[in-house]
């Protein structure tokens, strides 16, 4: 029995409830008609249909208009709450579309974030200060996982972790890795040396194992039949750069990441006779999922940079 009653309520046109709410607030069919840009007979018909569906009278007619019955007052209290929530939802939706509120969730590796991404993020924040920006520094496999479960809007990951069945590529990025050192190894800047000489004669500073960047560099060494055995392994590129500046060894970094240090002469590039191949990254979103307005605006900005 209760289930049958609930089914009746579920099939009632929500527009009837909207008309009921406006009529109750205004206390008049004619005023409700004016507010809703319709006719008074249309209002009366909608109220009558709602009463028939619910099985009871909602209004008493009087000289000044209409007043709610006891049942109507109870219904109005609940409709008022629901209608208020719907108006709030519409307002919030408009704010999101107008970029006055919302959030942007990005996950990316450190190497990309410093130059390729940071400038776009700063510009985006200037253009849309109402959008909360959340940036995570993660490995490519973790970025793929976060994207798959909907915890981020945009990911920038190594193409080897790209799953075209679940990801849409919006932009490709190329990264050049290189070896750098501080002034204590300045003589290495004169002539290229082999990867074998580099590994055999100098302390190497690398990102710790577990990430796609380290895997890529290990494959590079293996391709030249050289065993990689770094003396220093660190979790963050900033630490690697500082260790190299202090003369602790030869560091492998993304070239774009140390532009400032190279310009200032605090670091210099160590050329090798076997250059490190360009590394390819992809800017991706989750396939089949609508991209939020906030995320789409960032994609447009980043891809046009």
């Amino acid at each position: 029995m209760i289930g049958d009653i609930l089914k009746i309520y579920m099939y009632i046109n929500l527009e009837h409830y909207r008309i009921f709410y406006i009529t109750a607030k205004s206390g008049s069919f004619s005023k409700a008609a004016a507010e809703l840009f319709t006719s008074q007979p249309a209002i009366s018909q909608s109220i009558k249909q709602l009463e028939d569906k619910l099985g009871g009278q909602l209004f008493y007619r009087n000289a000044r208009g209409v007043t709610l019955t006891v049942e109507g007052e109870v219904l109005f209290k609940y409709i008022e709450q629901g209608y208020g929530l719907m108006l709030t939802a519409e307002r919030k939706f408009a704010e999101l579309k107008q970029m006055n509120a919302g959030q942007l969730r990005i996950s990316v590796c450190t190497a990309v974030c410093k130059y390729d991404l940071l400038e776009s993020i700063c510009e985006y924040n200037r253009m849309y200060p109402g959008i909360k920006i959340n940036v995570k520094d993660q490995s490519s496999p973790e970025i793929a996982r976060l994207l798959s479960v909907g915890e981020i809007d945009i990911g920038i990951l190594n193409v080897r972790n790209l799953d075209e069945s679940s990801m849409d590529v919006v932009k490709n990025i190329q990264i050049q890795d290189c070896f750098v050192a501080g002034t204590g190894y300045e003589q290495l800047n004169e002539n290229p040396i082999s990867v074998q000489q580099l590994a055999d004669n100098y302390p190497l500073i690398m990102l710790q194992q577990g990430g796609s960047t380290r895997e890529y560099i290990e494959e590079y060494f293996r391709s030249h039949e050289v065993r990689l055995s770094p003396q220093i392994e660190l979790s963050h590129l900033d630490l690697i750069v500082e260790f190299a500046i202090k003369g602790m060894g030869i560091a492998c970094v993304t070239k774009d990441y140390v532009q400032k240090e190279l310009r200032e002469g605090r670091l210099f590039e160590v050329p090798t006779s076997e250059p490190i191949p360009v590394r390819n990254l992809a800017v991706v979103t989750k396939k089949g999922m609508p991209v939020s307005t906030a995320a789409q605006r960032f994609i447009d900005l980043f891809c046009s940079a």
Side-chain angles (χ1 to χ4, degrees):
M1 181 67 177
I2 294 177
D4 293 337
I5 294 174
L6 289 175
K7 286 181 180 179
I8 291 173
Y9 291 164
M10 288 173 63
Y11 288 120
I12 294 176
N13 192 327
L14 289 177
E15 183 64 15
H16 292 329
Y17 284 123
R18 177 169 175 261
I19 292 171
F20 164 75
Y21 173 79
I22 298 298
T23 303
K25 289 282 288 185
S26 63
S28 165
F29 282 8
S30 60
K31 290 180 180 179
E35 184 172 340
L36 294 170
F37 302 100
T38 188
S39 65
Q40 184 172 333
I43 297 295
S44 299
Q45 183 180 7
S46 179
I47 296 298
K48 179 65 167 58
Q49 289 175 352
L50 182 58
E51 289 175 333
D52 290 343
K53 287 283 188 179
L54 294 175
Q57 188 175 352
L58 297 173
F59 291 103
Y60 292 120
R61 292 182 178 270
N62 54 53
R64 292 176 297 178
V66 293
T67 57
L68 288 166
T69 63
V70 173
E71 294 84 357
E73 287 179 355
V74 172
L75 181 65
F76 178 78
K77 289 179 181 179
Y78 287 97
I79 296 300
E80 184 176 36
Q81 295 177 44
Y83 193 76
L85 287 173
M86 285 191 290
L87 291 178
T88 300
E90 287 182 355
R91 186 174 67 254
K92 290 296 183 182
F93 185 85
E95 288 177 355
L96 291 172
K97 296 297 288 183
Q98 296 165 12
M99 299 293 287
N100 295 321
Q103 65 175 337
L104 173 66
R105 304 168 302 170
I106 306 173
S107 194
V108 63
C109 64
T110 305
V112 180
C113 190
K114 186 172 182 181
Y115 288 106
D116 296 82
L117 196 64
L118 184 57
E119 185 174 338
S120 293
I121 288 176
C122 291
E123 177 66 12
Y124 183 89
N125 186 57
R126 185 191 66 77
M127 294 171 64
Y128 310 111
I131 302 297
K132 181 180 178 181
I133 302 174
N134 186 336
V135 182
K136 294 184 178 181
D137 175 15
Q138 302 284 358
S139 66
S140 288
E142 178 61 10
I143 291 171
R145 188 193 70 81
L146 291 172
L147 192 67
S148 69
V149 297
E151 292 188 16
I152 58 173
D153 304 303
I154 302 169
I156 303 181
L157 44 70
N158 195 298
V159 293
R160 69 182 62 192
N161 296 101
L162 177 63
D163 180 1
E164 294 185 356
S165 67
S166 63
M167 301 175 188
D168 286 323
V169 178
V170 297
K171 184 178 181 178
N172 290 298
I173 299 174
Q174 289 191 327
I175 287 183
Q176 180 63 66
D177 297 292
C178 67
F179 297 102
V180 296
T183 55
Y185 294 94
E186 195 166 1
Q187 74 280 3
L188 294 178
N189 192 33
E190 297 175 0
N191 297 297
I193 64 172
S194 70
V195 177
Q196 187 70 64
Q197 287 177 302
L198 194 66
D200 289 345
N201 301 301
Y202 300 97
L204 297 179
I205 308 171
M206 297 280 170
L207 279 171
Q208 64 186 18
Q209 292 181 316
S212 58
T213 299
R214 173 61 182 269
E215 291 175 2
Y216 189 80
I217 298 303
E218 286 181 347
E219 286 187 12
Y220 162 72
F221 275 83
R222 281 196 298 268
S223 70
H224 297 288
E225 299 181 349
V226 177
R227 181 176 177 272
L228 177 61
S229 181
Q231 279 78 359
I232 300 174
E233 297 176 279
L234 300 168
S235 62
H236 204 280
L237 276 174
D238 281 344
L239 286 174
I240 290 177
V241 171
E242 290 304 315
F243 270 61
I245 290 174
K246 297 296 184 182
M248 298 299 295
I250 313 300
C252 185
V253 297
T254 302
K255 192 170 184 178
D256 282 347
Y257 197 84
V258 290
Q259 288 179 4
K260 181 180 178 182
E261 291 79 4
L262 290 171
R263 286 196 306 268
E264 294 174 349
R266 292 189 291 156
L267 288 176
F268 61 88
E269 188 173 351
V270 177
T272 57
S273 52
E274 305 95 345
I276 303 174
V278 170
R279 185 153 44 104
N280 295 301
L281 302 180
V283 182
V284 297
T285 58
K286 187 175 181 180
K287 188 181 290 291
M289 288 294 291
V291 179
S292 69
T293 302
Q296 187 59 56
R297 293 285 179 87
F298 180 79
I299 289 171
D300 294 342
L301 177 65
F302 186 48
C303 290
S304 64

